[in-house]
Amino acid sequence: MYNRTRLTVVTALVGVLALTGVATAANAAGTRTLPVDNSLYAITCPYYSDDSAATPNNQVLVVDEQTAEATAIGTGTEIDSSNCTGSFTVDPTTGTVYALVATDDYDFPILVTVDLTTGVSTKVADVTEGGIPTYASALAIGLDGAAYALYDGDLFSLNLSDGVMVYIGSSLNYVWAFVSDPSSGLFYALDEDGELFEIDITDGSYVSSATLSFLTEATYSLTIDTNGVFWLGEDLDAVDEYSTTLWSFTLADPNISAENAGVLTLNGEVPYSMALVVGPKHGAPTPTPTTTPTAAPAAEIEPSAELAATGTNPAVPIAVSIVLLVVGAVLAIAARRRRSAN
């Protein structure tokens, strides 16, 4: 599912810088903040993490966007020997969080849902194409709730109920970071060379949006907050195992706006993650749908009650009516007598 490639010279250089104490991403700090109703989440990948930073499989973290310091949510979930989550995204129409996870022996990926409150992941289905298990390297969901996957230079639709992929068209290759922008609805993918592309999900075609020159290694995770700010995890192999460096930038001027928050840490250790997502504010109560109370039918009101409600004595109009009838009768009799006299 995740075929890792490395540039040996760059990796060695990063390792030397880390060991000699030269300032690197590990001691950086950010100032950019998420929108007040957003939080940043990650899922660990124990398969590539250092033993000192071992975490349960599919361990969900909430991450401080300014320091890259994480807090565990729950205690992870074991699903079909899965040990590394590689794509993490939110369905904006339902709020449901989905992810693709891999197993120890690089079997075909599994589609799961992730509860960001409890940290529990639940299997939805194996990913298949034409009834046969298949690979998918990146998952994104649009503003309309439609899901898409990239793999091996092709774009597919992906059914979130059963994991079935359907071919759409030729697209980018060597991509693990794929996302839909909640502020615009556009789709973006980042290749292993740091080139950001906008993808047309109707046919898989793509155009370059920017070259992220601040990156020196591959990126396996990309997410965008509700203000349209991009957040990603750069993949570094400075010493022994892998680490994740948190960056953010704006599309208008990515390389000038790029900000490094540091290396992802958990309780002082350095776990590795290939999956980041901006989701709802952690700890915020789940919104309760509001309903408009149904008005009770109006009770029938007796005429006398209606008059009483206006402050009028019911006897008054009755008496007036009687007087009018009597006067009318008297006038009618007088008129007949005049006609008789004539």
Side-chain angles (χ1 to χ4, degrees):
M1 176 180 173
Y2 312 120
N3 182 17
R4 312 178 60 86
T5 60
R6 287 291 177 274
L7 299 178
T8 305
V9 174
V10 173
T11 300
L13 176 59
V14 173
V16 170
L17 291 175
L19 292 173
T20 56
V22 176
T24 63
N27 52 30
T31 60
R32 182 173 283 125
T33 58
L34 289 162
V36 294
D37 56 348
N38 290 175
S39 284
L40 182 65
Y41 301 87
I43 302 184
T44 61
C45 179
Y47 189 84
Y48 290 110
S49 295
D50 186 83
D51 290 342
S52 64
T55 62
N57 289 342
N58 305 307
Q59 174 66 65
V60 179
L61 309 174
V62 58
V63 183
D64 186 310
E65 72 271 24
Q66 292 186 301
T67 64
E69 295 177 359
T71 302
I73 300 175
T75 57
T77 309
E78 185 70 39
I79 303 175
D80 294 355
S81 300
S82 60
N83 71 341
C84 197
T85 300
S87 198
F88 197 15
T89 188
V90 180
D91 181 345
T93 65
T94 64
T96 304
V97 181
Y98 292 88
L100 295 175
V101 299
T103 58
D104 289 336
D105 55 2
Y106 290 96
D107 241 344
F108 300 107
I110 303 164
L111 178 67
V112 303
T113 58
V114 182
D115 188 320
L116 297 179
T117 301
T118 64
V120 173
S121 298
T122 303
K123 181 176 179 178
V124 175
D126 294 320
V127 176
T128 62
E129 182 190 8
I132 301 173
T134 189
Y135 290 100
S137 57
L139 171 68
I141 302 177
L143 297 184
D144 60 356
Y148 303 89
L150 287 169
Y151 178 68
D152 199 24
D154 292 319
L155 176 69
F156 302 83
S157 64
L158 189 146
N159 189 310
L160 294 173
S161 299
D162 56 18
V164 173
M165 298 204 315
V166 177
Y167 177 77
I168 293 176
S170 177
S171 194
L172 287 168
N173 207 350
Y174 302 112
V175 170
W176 295 268
F178 184 33
V179 68
S180 172
D181 183 348
S183 69
S184 68
L186 299 176
F187 286 78
Y188 295 93
L190 187 63
D191 71 9
E192 63 177 359
D193 295 320
E195 190 79 11
L196 182 69
F197 294 89
E198 180 185 330
I199 295 183
D200 185 336
I201 48 85
T202 64
D203 59 11
S205 61
Y206 51 90
V207 293
S208 177
S209 297
T211 299
L212 307 184
S213 59
F214 58 86
L215 296 176
T216 60
E217 272 287 8
T219 294
Y220 291 84
S221 55
L222 179 67
T223 186
I224 306 175
D225 67 32
T226 53
N227 284 344
V229 175
F230 288 66
W231 301 79
L232 62 84
E234 183 183 14
D235 198 36
L236 294 179
D237 183 16
V239 184
D240 197 13
E241 295 293 342
Y242 299 103
S243 63
T244 305
T245 299
L246 178 62
W247 289 90
S248 62
F249 66 92
T250 59
L251 189 58
D253 204 341
N255 293 301
I256 292 178
S257 66
E259 191 169 288
N260 185 333
V263 170
L264 180 69
T265 60
L266 175 65
N267 300 325
E269 301 296 341
V270 183
Y272 175 62
S273 174
M274 298 172 65
L276 295 176
V277 72
V278 171
K281 187 70 175 179
H282 181 60
T286 302
T288 302
T290 56
T291 56
T292 303
T294 303
E300 291 188 8
I301 303 176
E302 295 296 330
S304 60
E306 290 181 354
L307 293 170
T310 65
T312 304
N313 187 335
V316 174
I318 295 174
V320 171
S321 298
I322 294 173
V323 170
L324 291 175
L325 288 173
V326 171
V327 171
V330 171
L331 292 175
I333 293 172
R336 282 198 296 270
R337 287 179 177 176
R338 284 196 297 272
R339 285 196 296 274
S340 298
N342 293 332

